[in-house]
Amino acid sequence: MEIIQLIGVPNEELNNIETTIKWAMKELEIPDTDVLIYITDDHNKVRELVGMDKVSHEEWPVKYMRIDDVNAISIIPGKLLKLGGDEAAIMILREVALMRIMDDPALISRWSPPPDISDPLVHRVSLALLRRTVDLVIAQSQSLIQYLINAFNRDEMRNLLLTCEPTVDCAIAALALDVPLSIEMSGNVGLGRSLWHDASKNVDNGFFRKYDDFRDFVRNNFNVENTYNYLLMLFRGNLG
């Protein structure tokens, strides 16, 4: 693992970041060789350095980047170290998990969109499934599941289930938030279902019934093409 400082930071902060990254990689069984860690105050500085496109939207303090065939993580210490311990840990775990995903064809196939489907909706489905794949990788480690439980925003999910109309947009938004589904797919079905039932307790409307059906399908047919086709079938005529 090589650390490249684009800004100066105190040694204690640098050591804390290095220790946390190495912990995450060890927990996820990812070798810490051939990994670049950039310390910066703006991820776009890293992108400019390596010739990637800049972005204009706000980003997390930790950002995974694939530079040619090399895994890299850009870190903004000033923002990261302001977070609580668990929040910073799950953020780092999720970005580090992308290293395993991007080097594993079986995991890539779960979320990568097929080239023969040009519908922009496929890209949104792909991003939601990528989130579920990231959390699946983390959930496969029993020692890390508690970080996912703490990160699951039960209230946000519940509000979505209560207020959404039965549309494709709402289904994709719910899938992106559905941490319990990743936990179920990791084999810890009891815990995942318990978290899901807690978030959806006493919810019974048109969207919930369709989404509950949809998530069952995704659990058993976890790839982009199947998810996309079933989504269109289930929410036919409700694309907004």
Side-chain angles (χ1 to χ4, degrees), residues 35-239:
V35 176
L36 301 177
I37 307 297
Y38 288 90
I39 305 298
T40 185
D41 56 0
D42 185 339
H43 296 314
N44 279 328
K45 288 184 178 179
V46 178
R47 293 188 179 96
E48 185 176 10
L49 182 68
V50 301
M52 297 174 68
D53 291 337
K54 294 184 179 182
V55 299
S56 58
H57 56 272
E58 186 177 0
E59 300 180 287
W60 299 114
V62 183
K63 182 67 179 178
Y64 169 83
M65 299 181 187
R66 184 77 167 190
I67 303 172
D68 295 325
D69 291 327
V70 177
N71 288 311
I73 294 181
S74 176
I75 297 177
I76 302 176
K79 293 183 179 180
L80 178 65
L81 297 176
K82 290 180 181 178
L83 302 177
D86 281 359
E87 188 178 359
I90 191 62
M91 188 177 291
I92 289 173
L93 283 167
R94 281 171 164 160
E95 297 302 304
V96 168
L98 286 166
M99 294 185 191
R100 180 192 288 180
I101 291 169
M102 297 305 294
D103 287 325
D104 187 330
L107 291 174
I108 290 175
S109 69
R110 290 180 177 269
W111 64 270
S112 183
D116 58 330
I117 301 179
S118 58
D119 186 349
L121 181 63
V122 172
H123 178 66
R124 295 170 55 206
V125 172
S126 171
L127 290 178
L129 288 180
L130 177 57
R131 288 193 179 190
R132 298 285 54 79
T133 306
V134 165
D135 286 351
L136 169 63
V137 167
I138 296 171
Q140 288 171 338
S141 171
Q142 288 297 315
S143 63
L144 299 177
I145 284 183
Q146 190 60 49
Y147 289 100
L148 284 178
I149 295 172
N150 294 346
F152 175 48
N153 193 325
R154 172 188 172 278
D155 292 337
E156 185 177 7
M157 174 63 88
R158 184 172 180 79
N159 184 63
L160 196 67
L161 296 176
L162 285 168
T163 61
C164 259
E165 297 296 325
T167 64
V168 164
D169 279 352
C170 280
I172 295 174
L175 182 61
L177 293 176
D178 202 343
V179 174
L181 180 58
S182 291
I183 294 176
E184 289 178 50
M185 289 190 296
S186 76
N188 204 329
V189 178
L191 175 59
R193 293 300 293 178
S194 176
L195 290 170
W196 171 243
H197 288 149
D198 184 44
S200 60
K201 186 177 180 180
N202 297 326
V203 178
D204 185 17
N205 56 36
F207 173 66
F208 169 74
R209 288 190 291 272
K210 282 195 171 185
Y211 180 72
D212 199 37
D213 180 339
F214 176 61
R215 75 189 300 273
D216 282 344
F217 179 86
V218 173
R219 184 192 307 106
N220 296 310
N221 304 272
F222 187 38
N223 65 61
V224 174
E225 190 165 3
N226 286 336
T227 299
Y228 167 77
N229 288 332
Y230 196 72
L231 184 71
L232 291 185
M233 184 197 73
L234 194 61
F235 296 90
R236 186 180 292 112
N238 294 285
L239 298 179

